[in-house]
Amino acid sequence: MREYYHSELDEVVNQLVTMSDSVQVAVRGATNSLLSASLVDAEHVISGDVRVDAMHDQLETQCFNLLARQAPVAGELRIIVAATQVIADLGRIGDLAAHVAETARRRYPDKAVPEILEDSFHRMSEVGEAMIGKAGRTLADRNLEEARSLVDDDDEIDRLRSDQFRALVSPEWTYGVEKAVDTALLGRYYERIADHAVAMGRRIIYIITGDAPEGENWPTT
């Protein structure tokens, strides 16, 4: 009976990896819609968020069923509790990707960000996508060092965000208030995507070791 229970736990983890792949693709598509003013990409990401939400609900229900059917022991309980939190993180990343795509759709046929910041947003997306992929791999492989390295990846996102703020308040900013607001919000979306990836790393460390890393560099939400 416990072997079957463990196989169900493994299946939850495998589906989480699949979900992380889906939101990684969503972030990439949202960035394409943003930087290329692609309405097709924007609509694809927005409609795809419904599927991510469905995966979220299904996995959450599976975790609740695993809790209800048997009394999980310490290691099993740790996996289930952390998995429910990772599900929430992935769901929120999917929502944030949809927010980026919605901004691109709202400004179509124009681009929401000025040309001088396109490279910055492209790099933010690259780093965010890589972080999500790394979090997915650590779920599958339980690689402790990779999970811990996510905080270092987040440092680059923070630097890019600071550079964007400096551009917004500089005397050379000539793109108006609307683009300034869009840029500030979009930067925040990518920053939060990275934060959720770091939080996933934190959950995975908890799954592997039973200890949750604390400190300002490890967001809890």
Side-chain angles (χ1 to χ4, degrees):
M1 180 64 74
R2 300 312 288 185
E3 288 183 5
Y4 179 71
Y5 196 67
H6 289 161
S7 72
E8 288 189 299
L9 283 175
D10 290 340
E11 179 58 24
V12 167
V13 172
N14 290 337
Q15 290 185 57
L16 278 173
V17 175
T18 300
M19 188 176 177
S20 73
D21 291 342
S22 295
V23 299
Q24 187 179 20
V25 170
V27 171
R28 185 179 307 126
T31 305
N32 287 341
S33 73
L34 183 70
L35 300 182
S36 303
S38 169
L39 194 58
V40 172
D41 284 335
E43 295 290 0
H44 184 70
V45 173
I46 293 164
S47 63
D49 191 46
V50 175
R51 293 190 295 273
V52 172
D53 289 342
M55 294 175 71
H56 170 282
D57 294 344
Q58 178 188 341
L59 278 169
E60 191 175 63
T61 298
Q62 284 182 251
C63 288
F64 290 156
N65 287 338
L66 286 170
L67 281 172
R69 283 209 312 271
Q70 295 188 48
V73 296
E76 297 165 347
L77 182 61
R78 188 166 71 233
I79 292 172
I80 295 170
V81 170
T84 58
Q85 295 171 323
V86 171
I87 292 164
D89 287 320
L90 288 170
R92 188 59 185 140
I93 291 172
D95 291 340
L96 290 162
H99 291 339
V100 172
E102 286 163 358
T103 302
R105 182 175 66 178
R106 187 167 59 251
R107 300 307 178 202
Y108 179 83
D110 296 326
K111 294 182 181 180
V113 296
E115 186 176 355
I116 61 165
L117 290 178
E118 286 183 7
D119 287 346
S120 176
F121 278 100
H122 184 264
R123 182 57 186 161
M124 279 186 119
S125 179
E126 282 186 334
V127 175
E129 289 174 48
M131 291 174 72
I132 298 164
K134 183 182 289 188
R137 288 195 305 275
T138 59
L139 270 169
D141 303 336
R142 301 199 179 184
N143 186 317
L144 190 60
E145 291 310 310
E146 275 221 311
R148 286 174 171 156
S149 72
L150 281 164
V151 70
D152 296 324
D153 299 331
D154 190 46
D155 289 342
E156 183 172 1
I157 293 286
D158 292 339
R159 286 194 295 272
L160 289 164
R161 180 91 163 116
S162 295
D163 291 344
Q164 290 172 4
F165 268 121
R166 280 193 289 272
L168 287 174
V169 299
S170 75
E172 286 76 32
W173 182 266
T174 59
Y175 303 97
V177 173
E178 185 177 88
K179 270 195 167 47
V181 171
D182 282 344
T183 298
L185 285 174
L186 288 162
R188 179 59 175 160
Y189 295 153
Y190 284 100
E191 183 180 46
R192 291 300 294 145
I193 286 169
D195 286 344
H196 283 288
V198 174
M200 287 171 60
R202 186 177 186 274
R203 324 294 190 201
I204 295 162
I205 289 173
Y206 178 64
I207 289 173
I208 297 169
T209 68
D211 296 319
E214 301 294 343
E216 62 181 2
N217 289 328
W218 290 96
T220 56
T221 58

